[in-house]
Amino acid sequence: MRPFSYDRAAGAPGDAGTTWLAGGTTLLDLMKLDVMRPERLADINGLGLAEVRLDAQGLHLGALARMAEVAGNAEVQRHFPVVAQSLALAASQQLRNMASLGGNVLQRTRCPYFRDPSHAACNKRNPGSGCGAMDGANRLQAVLGTSDACIAAYPGDFAQALVALDAEVTLRGAAGERRMRFADLHVQPGTTPERETTLRPGELITGFTVPAGPWAARSLYLKVRDRESYAFALASAAVALDLDGKVVREARIALGGVATVPWRAAEAEADLRGKVLDEASATRAAEAAFAAARTHGENAFKPELGRRTLVRALLLAKRMEA
Amino acid sequence: MPDGFGTDHQRIDGRAKVTGGARYASDVVVGNVAHAWLVTSAIARGRITGFEDAEARAVPGVLEVFTHRNMQGAVAETEFFAKGGYVGSTIRPLESDQVWHAGQIVALVVADTLEAAREAAQRLRVRYAEEAPAAGFDAAGVEVVAASDAGFEDAGVGDADSAFAAAAVKVEASYSTPTQHHNPIELFTTTASWAGGKLTLHEGSQFVHGLKHGIAAQLRIDPADVHVVSPFIGGAFGARGSITQRTALVAEAARRLGRPVKLVPTRAQGFTIATYRAETRQQVKLAASRDGRLQALVHEGWEVTSRPDAYKVGGTATTSRIYACPNVRTKVHMVHADRNTPGFMRSPPELPYMFALESAMDELAYALDMDPVQLRRINDTQREPIKGLPYSSRNLVGCLDAGARAFGWERRSPAPRSMRDGEWQVGWGVATSIYPAHIGTATARVTLLPDGRARVQTAAHDVGTGAYTAIGLAAAEGLGLALERIVVELGDSDLPPAPVAGGSNTTASVCNVVIKACEEIRARRAQGQQGAIEVYAENVPEGLPPDSIGKLYQGRNALGGGLEGGKQAMAAFGAIFLEVRVHDRTREVRVPRVLGAFAAGRIVSPRQARSQLTGGLIWGIGAALHEQTEIDPRSARYMNDNMAEYLVPVNADIRQVEVLLLDEQDTQANPLGIKGIGELGNVGTNAALANAVFHATGTRPRDLPVRIEHLMA
Ligand SMILES: Cc1cc2nc3c(=O)[nH]c(=O)nc-3n(C[C@H](O)[C@H](O)[C@H](O)COP(=O)(O)OP(=O)(O)OC[C@H]3O[C@@H](n4cnc5c(N)ncnc54)[C@H](O)[C@@H]3O)c2cc1C
């Protein structure tokens, strides 16, 4: 860990050298590991930004609302189950008590070559140095959205709920406030895996808006992992359905644990639209979702597990009373 | 009301532990302490060609950067513990430029503050000349050596290969178990301070007298000048049994700086500066007559170890002696690779080797179309087959019967994939557990005070097992006192020596000597002695040489009992019954219940015994489903060296855990009939789980851990 200065942010936008400190559960870990070396921390915990509010437009979430609070909110559980579940199934209770939504969506990959600077090769940490995971220990790494430079998986859960439901993110920066589709926040690694988001330097996430929609109530998050709790996803699916009887009017699907970014499975959604939802159509949609998957050794099982996870999630969502 | 053996009592140190009153090595505050931080090797094989340390030394508060350049010769060479020495690894880290394994200590940075030491360590650049390492079994450049060349006795009897060839029913399969790390919650902390030429060490230790003598030899000082303080230990599991090389480095740094030095290594560093459970590959052949009687058993093992050290797991010593079988052949091989030296980890030989044997027994039961409980019953024996030694007591059949009854085994439908609950396939598995009963030479001092209170002092260790309470109960029994009147002092090298907390010997070794001391006190009281009565006692168990007392005083253990040594075979037994659920689509394996029935001699302290066995069963589940150290085969580095990615069960993974303790009176094993229970619970549990997975799914898991991807076919 390197020396750094610490201030409480007063609400003004930061400059390019400022790193925001929210719950600290990603940032402080990575500072101790010498992976992140910020010079100036600005603590945003005094800024408020903790709203959790439902109205006719949808669900409004402040960037500093804690994971535990949103996961435990009865209204969110009822009207946006996928949001509550994606948070409840993440990390541990202690972490959820500390961690903020804004920090959550910006958590960094768990790729072991990234998290330990004594590994020489990591294009994300040290551009141009190569990728240790490509032919190495990569059981947990991605099969969708990868590039020749990086296969690091996006590890979070909540972001899948946000992309599935077409959420917007609100940002505050030097040029004032702006909003954008949450799906445009994360970028695939391509040739520049060190660039993970479209945030501008010093920009602050202030909140998220999840639009209301007929699918929001019939939604869920299914997370498949090595143990029952407190583990990152091997594969996960955020699913929301608008059904007309057995027929899918609209399906919203995002996949976790398998991709470099929160992954919207648009092909699967298109495949299901207008179809009777059953084992066969769910399987076809799952195949479409993973058609472009590329595996690298230890993660060869992920496309199949991802397909099964999605089928299971779709059939579970169909059975929900919404 | 006097307490004694069998009294159900909470831990006498429980309140101190939950209120923070118990001071672990990491908690100890020493005045004017300087803080150390380790730098460990990024390569697994090669040489250090240089250091760029200007930036590190420039960090304010840095006192010294120790490397082989200034430490060479400081730590003396000492023998590997298995050759009669003290160290768990003979690799002396700052002795030369040579790198033997990834994560080897290459520098020790000491500073006024922890933060400065860490920052400087992170700023230190080490240059290497790297060679391609051999990470494990499949790597080019490993050296395979028969364990018998390093003094291991491969057990055998009869002609197993001919009997196998001729037998009516047979199975043959290969199994593997992974690298696993102990990960005790307390890190490998050491604080060293010198005063007047005398060294005090605060370090969690499973063998304080061993540490005292070993460090003295390493630092070339008089053992009388070493004091090891380790009253509480934040988990050990074998990781703190023999000496790690970091201790001498910290002590030497403190000597040179003239200031106490405290090292708290990171979790990741703990993976490479201490030991671990070696990965194994095993081959088992079993043959039986049609009525299920074993005719042949062949068990071969391959185990990874470091380049210089011949650490042997050697579980065939146990697996060859459990069932009645006239023809047995076993063979163990060590595979020397560019890795740190492995070592003892809870049930070191039995956990991996019983996985293979008890999986193979299940395969044989299916080949015979026989109930797996029945197969074990048929092959029960009161004599081990290798030398024909009688078991001092053995009630495996009682465990199988009581366990089966309590579990509801008769409701199991034997065919694979025949049980189901909604979307979940259900499977029930069984396996035998065994752990050799050891007892060692031990000493203790017991003092009965005139006011009716008593004090027990012995350098035994409570590694979290409840030894304080068990030893207190022995004194209560011996003196006819309530437990509340007894003070127990452990874990200090100034106390009379007791053996290593290993091989589950502590309760047997220490209770026997404490009872001896108490008998002497009672005798003296009967003779009319007044005032405080202090008795020091020694106990050399039957079969151990008289000079084992002298050796113990030099920090060398003498453990007897077990399956091989004496005139009889001594072991505790158990039967594990376990239910799994496997999701029919996404293949998660969950364990709604596990039950262990155990016959383990006299149960001294029932509440702690249950706790140990419960913890053992949980460990066994983790060993089967979760725990695996991932290794990058190219770099021979451990990849998941943290508690987020090195998985152990969390509460949600553990549902119903039931322990049945059978009455067993063993009049032969030792005067008190005590067998160890600390390791018994995790043996066989991994096989019970794998057998249950086979029953649920029809897929036989032969490689641990059992993971989702293994069950997707
Ligand atoms: C052991 C472990 C297990 C975990 N398991 C899971 C899991 O299963 N699923 C899961 O989803 N997550 C998991 N996590 C990750 C955890 O959810 C995140 O660490 C947490 O959500 C981050 O939130 P925080 O407030 O602590 O962020 P911080 O650590 O404070 O910040 C993280 C990053 O975001 C930036 N940042 C924070 N807030 C803002 C803002 N408002 N605007 C702009 N930038 C900001 C920071 O500068 C920093 O770069 C796990 C973490 C650990 C340590």
Side-chain angles (χ1 to χ4, degrees), chain A residues 19-29 36 44 63 66-67 89-91 95 98-100 102-104 106-107 110 155-158 199 203-206 223 230-232, chain B residues 644:
Chain A
T19 300
W20 305 116
L21 173 67
T25 63
T26 285
L27 179 60
L28 298 183
D29 268 17
M36 290 177 76
I44 56 177
R66 305 289 144 172
M67 290 170 73
L89 294 172
L95 285 159
M98 283 299 287
S100 67
N104 181 282
L106 296 177
Q107 65 182 284
R110 302 291 308 187
D157 294 299
F158 172 56
L199 282 181
E203 212 166 18
L204 181 75
I205 297 178
T206 54
K223 183 173 179 183
Y230 198 18
F232 293 95

Side-chain angles (χ1 to χ4, degrees), chain B residues 339-362:
Chain B
R339 296 272 300 279
N340 51 322
T341 306
F344 296 124
M345 181 162 158
R346 198 175 189 180
S347 312
E350 285 77 16
L351 184 133
Y353 276 82
M354 285 293 282
F355 166 67
L357 177 68
E358 289 300 295
S359 295
M361 285 293 280
D362 200 64

Side-chain angles (χ1 to χ4, degrees), chain A residues 57-59 61 76 79-84 86 158-168 181-183 209-220 238-242 250-254 263-264 269:
Chain A
Q57 274 70 53
L59 172 61
L61 299 170
V76 180
H79 299 290
F80 293 86
V82 65
V83 172
S86 68
F158 172 56
Q160 276 75 250
L162 295 180
V163 285
L165 297 183
D166 274 325
E168 280 190 288
R181 292 185 343 129
F182 179 77
T209 304
V210 189
W215 43 79
R218 187 185 291 280
S219 71
L220 60 82
V239 162
L241 293 177
D242 178 18
E250 195 69 52
R252 301 301 186 83
I253 299 170
W263 190 262
R264 181 81 179 256
E269 294 177 2

Side-chain angles (χ1 to χ4, degrees), chain B residues 439 474 507-517 539 670-674:
Chain B
I439 178 166
T507 304
S509 306
V510 178
C511 289
N512 274 291
V513 74
V514 165
I515 287 291
K516 215 166 153 179
N539 187 47
N670 53 68
L672 296 175
I674 296 170

Side-chain angles (χ1 to χ4, degrees), chain A residues 1 113 139 227-228 312, chain B residues 122 586 590 632 648 709:
Chain A
M1 196 182 224
Y113 301 90
R139 178 171 181 263
R227 59 185 176 192
E228 181 77 27
R312 183 176 164 196
Chain B
Q122 289 171 342
T586 42
R590 303 292 183 237
D632 183 326
V648 297
E709 56 263 43

Side-chain angles (χ1 to χ4, degrees), chain B residues 113-138:
Chain B
T113 64
L114 180 85
E115 290 76 11
R118 175 171 58 194
E119 186 193 348
Q122 289 171 342
R123 288 183 186 275
L124 183 73
R125 291 283 154 268
V126 187
R127 284 193 306 270
Y128 303 97
E130 187 175 1
E131 295 163 33
F137 291 122
D138 297 321

